[in-house]
Amino acid sequence: SQDWIPITLGVAATVGHVFSVFVRFRGGKGVATAAGAVLGLAPIPLAVSAAVWIALVWATGYVSLGSMAGAAAFPVAVWLLQPGDWYVLAAGVALAAFIVFTHRANIRRLLEGREARFGHHATS
């Protein structure tokens, strides 16, 4: 089986968007690209992740917190809803860890109480 090929390409696309050669190896956080990469492979677990993201952003106003929690929810949802899909599970764990890694400055700001909330300016 070559099930690992689309997953590997999705992970590569996510890493490429975060560390883009076109913007001096700086880019986004990888959340949207990772979601697009797994959309066709695990749509129901992705919907669970999206629900976690929506709920947390609505409840807290922190997009970064919702993004990290949604990313962390994805491999759990794969494990529960697509048992035996080891390639997608492994990619989900790797992508979740990578997304948390890309949010390390946001984590610092969250802990310091300086992270901007959706629709609000950051406090100093």
Side-chain angles (χ1 to χ4, degrees):
S1 169
Q2 296 183 349
D3 293 340
W4 60 272
I5 292 174
I7 295 165
T8 302
L9 294 174
V11 171
T14 303
V15 172
H17 275 75
V18 172
F19 299 115
S20 175
V21 66
F22 301 108
V23 289
R24 298 185 189 134
F25 298 99
R26 293 187 336 250
K29 305 288 187 192
V31 178
T33 306
V38 300
L39 177 61
L41 302 168
I44 303 301
L46 181 61
V48 171
S49 295
V52 168
W53 182 86
I54 290 167
L56 272 175
V57 172
W58 181 79
T60 68
Y62 294 118
V63 175
S64 60
L65 182 62
S67 297
M68 290 184 286
F74 180 76
V76 174
V78 169
W79 182 64
L80 293 172
L81 301 171
Q82 292 183 204
D85 202 342
W86 303 115
Y87 290 122
V88 175
L89 178 61
V93 169
L95 287 170
F98 185 66
I99 288 169
V100 171
F101 171 78
T102 64
H103 281 81
R104 56 195 184 282
N106 300 84
I107 294 168
R108 199 173 309 112
R109 286 192 300 271
L110 281 164
L111 293 173
E112 294 170 353
R114 298 184 306 111
E115 180 74 335
R117 289 180 186 238
F118 184 71
H120 297 89
H121 295 287
T123 58
S124 44

